[in-house]
Amino acid sequence: MGAACDDAVQQLARLLDQVEEPLKKTFQNVHQGYPTETLVRFLKAREWHVTNAHKMLVDCLNWRIQNEIDSILEKPIVPVDLYRSIRESQLVGLSGYSKEGVPVFAFGVGQSTYDKASVHYYVQSHIQINEYRDRIILPMATKKFRRPITSCIKVLDMTGLKLSALSLLKILTAISAVDELNYPEKAETYYIVNAPYIFSACWKVVKPLLQERTRKKVHVLSGRGKDELLKIMDHSSIPHFCRREGSSKASLSGVDDCFSLDHPFHQELYHYIEQQALNQELIKQGSLHVDIPEQDPEDAMIVEVIQAEFHKLSEQDGSANGDHK
């Protein structure tokens, strides 16, 4: 970092020293021993504008307190059959680590249906994975590789993406708002694989609207992207949908399919939350209602552009089908 960046970090640190004690306490769960790196994340998210970064961070800390995020890993989604249904319809998992020790998270964007539970369960599940990543996975990687590892790599599988995905935009927008405002700069790189035409068409209109910092993170790979991913990670860490032909839901053993509840990552996560709840005697049924932050105006505009592009493609598809008939 340059002198100006160092000065911005120091300014933000001084402002944070002035907040009330409960906010300082929850900030410890956010930074996990690396406060400077955390301040840098919020500054990057606000283009190094100290006042805006301070507001974003304070809003995040208040959100955590108001929604009891610090104790969300003590609140399992039960019964296990419900959680299994969520895992089968919200495809996400930890596939491994890069050669530099950065966790690799996989997302089955095109085949996630979000239709087995209420939106509150899906948001709860997403935040629990975020918190487990930040409090358990990243500190373990930091210890193993003996350097601060505070972000991850995301591989997004677009297999099966259809125009009907427009109906999922509301829940995807809610999850995106949670991440953008409360977990900024947690992804160092996004790799897009198995991208169909519908994604390419949307990406063409969305890309110019993104900040340069975000555009540089996104890499749209050809096909499954296996060869490109092998440059930064071993074969065992490549998500299953990049290793072979077929869709995210093709028949695999749970150990191989990082989306499955039977995968070691999800087993460890589920049992960790279950144990935390037992320690607090908190196991009970019912979803956790978390307040969804209001989107940034820029993000809301991008969602509108995506909606417009989906409608445009839908109309073109309808015209093509009509001509065919």
Side-chain angles (χ1 to χ4, degrees):
M1 292 191 300
C5 295
D6 289 338
D7 185 54
V9 172
Q10 292 172 15
Q11 288 183 51
L12 184 54
R14 286 195 294 269
L15 288 172
L16 195 60
D17 282 340
Q18 299 171 21
V19 303
E20 297 177 355
E21 197 58 39
L23 273 68
K24 291 180 180 178
K25 185 176 180 180
T26 195
F27 183 57
Q28 293 177 2
N29 262 336
V30 175
H31 69 62
Q32 291 293 316
Y34 294 93
T36 298
E37 286 81 357
T38 302
L39 296 179
V40 168
R41 287 197 294 108
F42 280 84
L43 283 163
K44 282 183 178 179
R46 288 297 176 261
E47 302 298 322
W48 294 93
H49 191 290
V50 176
T51 302
N52 292 348
H54 176 249
K55 182 183 184 305
M56 183 187 192
L57 180 51
V58 169
D59 287 347
C60 166
L61 299 179
N62 279 316
W63 173 81
R64 293 182 66 86
I65 292 171
Q66 292 161 7
N67 293 279
E68 301 180 350
I69 301 300
D70 287 345
S71 61
I72 199 169
L73 291 180
E74 300 166 2
K75 299 171 182 177
I77 295 174
V78 290
V80 68
D81 286 346
L82 172 61
Y83 189 67
R84 185 177 292 278
S85 294
I86 289 172
R87 291 278 60 82
E88 290 172 352
S89 54
Q90 183 185 36
L91 304 180
V92 56
L94 175 70
S95 67
Y97 296 81
S98 74
K99 294 175 182 178
E100 295 182 348
V102 180
V104 179
F105 280 86
F107 297 82
V109 177
Q111 294 194 328
S112 292
T113 56
Y114 296 96
D115 60 350
K116 303 297 184 183
S118 72
V119 62
H120 302 292
Y121 277 118
Y122 287 113
V123 172
Q124 178 181 350
S125 165
H126 180 79
I127 294 174
Q128 285 179 330
I129 290 175
N130 279 357
E131 291 293 312
Y132 188 75
R133 173 197 67 197
D134 294 352
R135 298 193 221 172
I136 306 297
I137 299 296
L138 291 173
M140 283 174 54
T142 293
K143 184 177 180 180
K144 180 178 179 180
F145 289 89
R146 299 180 180 179
R147 68 179 186 85
I149 297 177
T150 58
S151 61
C152 64
I153 291 168
K154 294 186 176 183
V155 183
L156 282 57
D157 180 23
M158 296 295 168
T159 298
L161 185 66
K162 300 176 182 176
L163 290 170
S164 57
L166 186 61
S167 63
L168 303 177
L169 206 52
K170 184 176 180 180
I171 187 170
L172 293 173
T173 298
I175 289 173
S176 175
V178 167
D179 281 355
E180 292 294 326
L181 296 176
N182 298 294
Y183 303 92
E185 299 295 313
K186 275 293 178 179
E188 64 177 47
T189 314
Y190 297 88
Y191 291 104
I192 312 294
V193 301
N194 297 321
Y197 170 75
I198 185 174
F199 171 82
S200 302
C202 286
W203 178 240
K204 185 177 180 179
V205 296
V206 168
K207 186 177 180 180
L209 303 177
L210 299 176
Q211 295 175 346
E212 183 180 3
R213 166 177 49 82
T214 303
R215 285 201 303 271
K216 287 182 176 179
K217 289 183 179 184
V218 181
H219 300 269
V220 182
L221 306 184
S222 175
R224 290 175 289 154
K226 181 179 176 181
D227 292 341
E228 288 298 313
L229 293 176
L230 279 173
K231 295 176 182 178
I232 61 166
M233 66 187 76
D234 293 333
H235 186 272
S236 60
S237 290
I238 293 177
H240 59 278
F241 50 79
C242 296
R243 284 189 248 140
R244 45 97 180 108
E245 299 290 348
S247 70
S248 300
K249 288 186 175 180
S251 178
L252 287 169
S253 71
V255 175
D256 292 328
D257 181 352
C258 67
F259 296 150
S260 170
L261 178 57
D262 299 320
H263 187 272
F265 166 71
H266 283 297
Q267 284 291 302
E268 291 164 11
L269 168 61
Y270 190 83
H271 291 309
Y272 177 87
I273 295 175
E274 189 177 49
Q275 188 58 52
Q276 296 300 306
L278 287 172
N279 291 343
Q280 301 294 329
E281 299 181 348
L282 288 175
I283 290 185
K284 61 180 180 180
Q285 287 186 263
S287 64
L288 181 70
H289 288 229
V290 174
D291 293 332
I292 306 300
E294 190 172 333
Q295 274 189 305
D296 280 348
E298 286 186 9
D299 293 334
M301 180 184 67
I302 289 172
V303 171
E304 290 179 5
V305 169
I306 293 174
Q307 287 176 320
E309 188 64 22
F310 264 69
H311 284 304
K312 176 183 172 184
L313 291 169
S314 181
E315 290 173 359
Q316 290 175 354
D317 187 55
S319 298
N321 288 335
D323 292 342
H324 180 70
K325 290 178 181 177

